[in-house]
Amino acid sequence: MAYKINDDCIGCGACAAECPVGAISEADGKCVIDASACLDCGACAGTCPVGAPQAE
Ligand code: SF4
Ligand code: SF4
């Protein structure tokens, strides 16, 4: 299981700052989650202003 950031992402970077394992990086103005590193903790979803990180 991992979270995935959908197209609603506005690239604010708030989720990357909260991720405990540094699984979130930015590419082309949006953030992406490295599924192999994600712990499924949900911190990114709790921080995102637009609800872009979704549990898969
Ligand atoms: Fe990082 Fe947790 Fe979000 Fe996975 S669910 S990307 S570990 S903050
Ligand atoms: Fe995108 Fe939400 Fe992360 Fe901001 S907090 S970079 S809008 S996923």
Side-chain angles (χ1 to χ4, degrees):
M1 285 287 290
Y3 273 68
K4 187 171 184 180
I5 294 172
N6 69 23
D7 285 344
D8 293 339
C9 175
I10 56 172
C12 71
C15 56
E18 290 297 318
C19 181
V21 294
I24 305 175
S25 58
E26 195 193 317
D28 296 330
K30 294 184 185 290
C31 279
V32 293
I33 293 171
D34 178 353
S36 66
C38 176
L39 302 177
D40 205 31
C41 73
C44 50
T47 302
C48 182
V50 298
Q54 301 283 330
E56 289 246 291

Coordinates of all heavy atoms in Angstrom, one line a residue:
M1 N 0.8 -1.2 0.0 CA 0.0 0.0 0.0 C 0.9 1.3 0.0 O 1.9 1.3 0.6 CB -0.9 0.0 1.2 CG -2.1 -0.9 1.2 SD -3.3 -0.4 0.0 CE -4.0 1.0 0.9
A2 N 0.4 2.3 -0.7 CA 1.1 3.6 -0.7 C 0.1 4.6 -1.1 O -1.0 4.3 -1.6 CB 2.2 3.5 -1.7
Y3 N 0.4 5.8 -0.8 CA -0.4 7.0 -1.2 C 0.1 7.4 -2.6 O 1.2 7.2 -2.9 CB -0.3 8.1 -0.2 CG -1.3 8.0 1.0 CD1 -1.1 7.0 1.9 CD2 -2.3 8.9 1.1 CE1 -2.0 6.8 2.9 CE2 -3.2 8.8 2.1 CZ -3.1 7.7 3.1 OH -4.0 7.6 4.1
K4 N -0.9 8.0 -3.3 CA -0.5 8.6 -4.6 C -1.1 10.0 -4.7 O -2.2 10.2 -4.3 CB -1.1 7.7 -5.7 CG -0.6 8.1 -7.1 CD -1.0 7.1 -8.2 CE -0.5 7.5 -9.5 NZ -0.8 6.5 -10.6
I5 N -0.4 10.9 -5.3 CA -0.8 12.3 -5.4 C -1.5 12.5 -6.8 O -0.9 12.1 -7.8 CB 0.4 13.3 -5.2 CG1 0.9 13.2 -3.8 CG2 0.0 14.7 -5.6 CD1 2.2 13.9 -3.6
N6 N -2.7 12.9 -6.7 CA -3.5 13.1 -8.0 C -3.2 14.5 -8.6 O -2.5 15.3 -8.1 CB -5.0 12.8 -7.8 CG -5.7 13.8 -6.9 OD1 -5.2 15.0 -6.8 ND2 -6.8 13.5 -6.3
D7 N -3.9 14.7 -9.7 CA -3.7 15.9 -10.5 C -4.1 17.2 -9.9 O -3.9 18.3 -10.4 CB -4.3 15.8 -11.9 CG -3.6 14.9 -12.8 OD1 -2.4 14.6 -12.5 OD2 -4.1 14.4 -13.8
D8 N -4.8 17.1 -8.7 CA -5.2 18.3 -8.0 C -4.1 19.0 -7.4 O -4.2 20.2 -6.9 CB -6.3 18.0 -7.0 CG -7.6 17.5 -7.6 OD1 -7.9 17.8 -8.7 OD2 -8.4 16.8 -6.8
C9 N -2.9 18.4 -7.3 CA -1.8 18.9 -6.6 C -1.4 20.3 -7.2 O -1.3 20.4 -8.5 CB -0.6 17.9 -6.7 SG 1.0 18.6 -6.1
I10 N -1.1 21.2 -6.4 CA -0.7 22.6 -6.8 C 0.8 22.8 -6.5 O 1.3 23.9 -6.7 CB -1.5 23.7 -6.2 CG1 -1.5 23.6 -4.6 CG2 -2.9 23.6 -6.7 CD1 -2.1 24.8 -3.9
G11 N 1.5 21.7 -6.1 CA 3.0 21.8 -5.9 C 3.4 22.7 -4.8 O 4.5 23.2 -4.8
C12 N 2.6 22.8 -3.7 CA 3.0 23.7 -2.6 C 4.1 23.2 -1.8 O 4.8 23.9 -1.1 CB 1.8 24.0 -1.7 SG 1.2 22.6 -0.7
G13 N 4.3 21.9 -1.8 CA 5.5 21.3 -1.0 C 5.2 21.0 0.4 O 6.0 20.4 1.1
A14 N 4.0 21.3 0.9 CA 3.6 21.0 2.3 C 3.8 19.5 2.7 O 4.2 19.2 3.8 CB 2.2 21.5 2.6
C15 N 3.3 18.7 1.8 CA 3.4 17.2 2.1 C 4.8 16.7 2.2 O 5.1 15.9 3.1 CB 2.6 16.5 1.0 SG 3.2 16.8 -0.6
A16 N 5.7 17.2 1.3 CA 7.1 16.8 1.3 C 7.7 17.1 2.7 O 8.5 16.3 3.2 CB 7.8 17.4 0.2
A17 N 7.3 18.3 3.2 CA 7.9 18.7 4.5 C 7.5 17.8 5.7 O 8.1 17.6 6.7 CB 7.6 20.1 4.8
E18 N 6.3 17.2 5.5 CA 5.7 16.3 6.6 C 6.1 14.9 6.5 O 6.0 14.1 7.5 CB 4.2 16.5 6.6 CG 3.7 17.8 7.0 CD 4.0 18.1 8.5 OE1 3.9 17.2 9.3 OE2 4.5 19.2 8.8
C19 N 6.5 14.4 5.3 CA 6.7 13.0 5.1 C 7.9 12.5 6.0 O 9.0 13.0 5.8 CB 7.0 12.7 3.7 SG 7.3 10.9 3.4
P20 N 7.7 11.5 6.8 CA 8.7 11.1 7.8 C 9.9 10.3 7.1 O 10.9 10.1 7.7 CB 8.0 10.2 8.8 CG 6.8 9.7 8.0 CD 6.4 10.8 7.1
V21 N 9.7 9.9 5.9 CA 10.7 9.1 5.2 C 11.2 9.8 3.9 O 12.0 9.1 3.2 CB 10.2 7.6 4.9 CG1 10.0 6.9 6.2 CG2 9.0 7.7 4.0
G22 N 10.8 11.0 3.7 CA 11.3 11.7 2.5 C 10.9 11.1 1.2 O 11.7 11.1 0.2
A23 N 9.7 10.5 1.2 CA 9.3 9.8 0.0 C 8.7 10.7 -1.1 O 8.4 10.2 -2.2 CB 8.2 8.7 0.4
I24 N 8.5 12.0 -0.8 CA 7.8 12.9 -1.7 C 8.8 13.9 -2.3 O 9.6 14.5 -1.7 CB 6.7 13.7 -1.0 CG1 5.8 12.7 -0.3 CG2 6.0 14.6 -2.0 CD1 4.7 13.4 0.5
S25 N 8.8 13.9 -3.7 CA 9.7 14.9 -4.4 C 8.8 15.6 -5.4 O 7.7 15.2 -5.8 CB 10.8 14.1 -5.1 OG 10.3 13.1 -6.0
E26 N 9.4 16.7 -5.9 CA 8.6 17.5 -6.8 C 9.1 17.3 -8.3 O 10.3 17.2 -8.5 CB 8.8 19.0 -6.5 CG 7.7 19.9 -7.2 CD 8.0 21.4 -7.1 OE1 8.4 21.8 -6.0 OE2 7.9 22.0 -8.2
A27 N 8.2 17.3 -9.2 CA 8.6 17.2 -10.6 C 7.5 17.9 -11.4 O 6.4 17.7 -11.3 CB 8.6 15.7 -11.0
D28 N 8.0 18.9 -12.2 CA 7.1 19.7 -13.1 C 6.0 20.3 -12.4 O 4.8 20.3 -12.8 CB 6.6 18.8 -14.2 CG 7.7 18.2 -15.1 OD1 8.7 18.9 -15.3 OD2 7.5 17.1 -15.7
G29 N 6.3 20.9 -11.2 CA 5.3 21.7 -10.5 C 4.3 20.9 -9.7 O 3.4 21.4 -9.1
K30 N 4.4 19.6 -9.7 CA 3.6 18.7 -8.8 C 4.4 17.8 -8.0 O 5.6 17.5 -8.4 CB 2.6 17.9 -9.7 CG 1.6 18.8 -10.4 CD 0.5 18.0 -11.2 CE -0.4 18.8 -12.0 NZ -1.3 19.6 -11.2
C31 N 3.9 17.3 -6.9 CA 4.7 16.4 -6.1 C 4.3 14.9 -6.4 O 3.2 14.6 -6.8 CB 4.5 16.7 -4.6 SG 5.5 18.0 -4.1
V32 N 5.3 14.1 -6.3 CA 5.1 12.6 -6.5 C 5.6 11.8 -5.4 O 6.6 12.2 -4.7 CB 5.7 12.2 -7.8 CG1 5.1 12.8 -9.0 CG2 7.2 12.5 -7.8
I33 N 5.0 10.7 -5.1 CA 5.3 9.8 -4.0 C 6.1 8.6 -4.5 O 5.6 8.0 -5.5 CB 4.1 9.4 -3.2 CG1 3.5 10.6 -2.5 CG2 4.5 8.3 -2.2 CD1 2.1 10.4 -1.8
D34 N 7.2 8.3 -3.9 CA 7.9 7.1 -4.2 C 7.2 5.9 -3.5 O 7.3 5.8 -2.3 CB 9.4 7.2 -3.8 CG 10.2 5.9 -4.0 OD1 9.6 4.9 -4.4 OD2 11.4 6.0 -3.8
A35 N 6.5 5.2 -4.2 CA 5.6 4.1 -3.6 C 6.5 3.1 -2.9 O 6.0 2.5 -1.9 CB 4.8 3.4 -4.7
S36 N 7.7 2.9 -3.3 CA 8.5 1.9 -2.6 C 9.0 2.4 -1.2 O 9.4 1.6 -0.4 CB 9.7 1.5 -3.5 OG 10.6 2.6 -3.6
A37 N 9.0 3.7 -1.0 CA 9.4 4.2 0.3 C 8.3 4.6 1.2 O 8.4 4.7 2.4 CB 10.3 5.5 0.0
C38 N 7.1 4.8 0.6 CA 5.9 5.3 1.4 C 5.5 4.3 2.4 O 5.4 3.1 2.2 CB 4.8 5.6 0.4 SG 3.2 6.0 1.3
L39 N 5.2 4.8 3.7 CA 4.8 3.9 4.8 C 3.3 3.9 5.0 O 2.8 3.3 5.9 CB 5.5 4.4 6.1 CG 7.0 4.5 6.1 CD1 7.5 5.1 7.5 CD2 7.6 3.1 5.9
D40 N 2.6 4.6 4.1 CA 1.2 4.6 4.2 C 0.7 5.3 5.5 O -0.4 4.9 6.1 CB 0.6 3.2 4.1 CG -0.8 3.1 3.6 OD1 -1.2 4.0 2.8 OD2 -1.6 2.2 4.0
C41 N 1.4 6.3 6.0 CA 1.1 6.9 7.3 C 0.0 7.9 7.2 O -0.7 8.2 8.2 CB 2.3 7.5 7.9 SG 2.9 9.0 7.1
G42 N -0.2 8.5 6.0 CA -1.3 9.4 5.8 C -1.0 10.9 6.2 O -1.8 11.7 6.1
A43 N 0.3 11.1 6.6 CA 0.6 12.5 7.0 C 0.5 13.5 5.9 O 0.1 14.6 6.1 CB 2.0 12.5 7.6
C44 N 0.8 13.1 4.7 CA 0.7 13.9 3.5 C -0.7 14.3 3.3 O -1.0 15.5 3.0 CB 1.3 13.3 2.3 SG 0.8 11.6 2.0
A45 N -1.6 13.4 3.3 CA -3.0 13.6 3.1 C -3.6 14.6 4.1 O -4.4 15.5 3.8 CB -3.8 12.3 3.1
G46 N -3.1 14.5 5.4 CA -3.6 15.4 6.4 C -3.1 16.8 6.3 O -3.7 17.7 6.9
T47 N -2.0 17.0 5.5 CA -1.4 18.3 5.4 C -1.9 19.0 4.1 O -1.9 20.2 4.1 CB 0.1 18.1 5.3 OG1 0.5 17.5 6.5 CG2 0.8 19.5 5.2
C48 N -2.2 18.3 3.1 CA -2.5 18.8 1.8 C -3.7 19.7 1.8 O -4.8 19.3 2.3 CB -2.7 17.7 0.8 SG -3.0 18.3 -0.9
P49 N -3.6 21.0 1.3 CA -4.8 21.9 1.3 C -5.8 21.5 0.2 O -6.9 22.0 0.3 CB -4.1 23.3 0.9 CG -2.9 22.9 0.2 CD -2.4 21.6 0.8
V50 N -5.5 20.7 -0.7 CA -6.4 20.3 -1.8 C -6.8 18.8 -1.8 O -7.5 18.4 -2.7 CB -5.9 20.8 -3.2 CG1 -5.7 22.3 -3.2 CG2 -4.6 20.1 -3.5
G51 N -6.3 18.1 -0.8 CA -6.7 16.7 -0.8 C -6.2 15.8 -1.9 O -6.8 14.8 -2.3
A52 N -5.0 16.2 -2.4 CA -4.4 15.5 -3.6 C -3.9 14.1 -3.2 O -4.0 13.2 -4.0 CB -3.4 16.3 -4.3
P53 N -3.3 13.9 -2.1 CA -2.7 12.5 -1.8 C -3.9 11.6 -1.4 O -4.7 11.9 -0.5 CB -1.8 12.7 -0.5 CG -1.6 14.2 -0.5 CD -2.8 14.8 -1.0
Q54 N -4.0 10.5 -2.1 CA -5.1 9.5 -1.9 C -4.5 8.1 -1.6 O -3.5 7.7 -2.3 CB -5.9 9.4 -3.2 CG -6.6 10.7 -3.6 CD -7.8 11.1 -2.8 OE1 -8.5 10.2 -2.3 NE2 -8.0 12.4 -2.6
A55 N -5.1 7.4 -0.7 CA -4.7 6.0 -0.5 C -5.0 5.2 -1.7 O -6.1 5.3 -2.2 CB -5.4 5.5 0.8
E56 N -4.1 4.3 -2.0 CA -4.4 3.5 -3.2 C -4.9 2.1 -2.7 O -4.5 1.6 -1.7 CB -3.1 3.3 -4.0 CG -2.7 4.5 -4.7 CD -2.7 4.3 -6.2 OE1 -1.9 3.6 -6.7 OE2 -3.6 4.9 -6.8
Ligands
SF4_1 FE1 5.2 10.0 3.2 FE2 3.3 9.0 4.9 FE3 2.6 10.3 2.7 FE4 3.7 7.9 2.5 S1 1.7 8.4 3.4 S2 4.2 9.7 1.2 S3 5.1 7.9 4.2 S4 3.7 11.2 4.4
SF4_2 FE1 0.6 18.9 -3.8 FE2 -0.9 18.7 -1.6 FE3 1.6 18.1 -1.5 FE4 0.9 20.6 -1.8 S1 0.5 19.3 0.0 S2 2.6 19.6 -2.9 S3 -0.9 20.4 -3.1 S4 0.0 17.0 -2.7

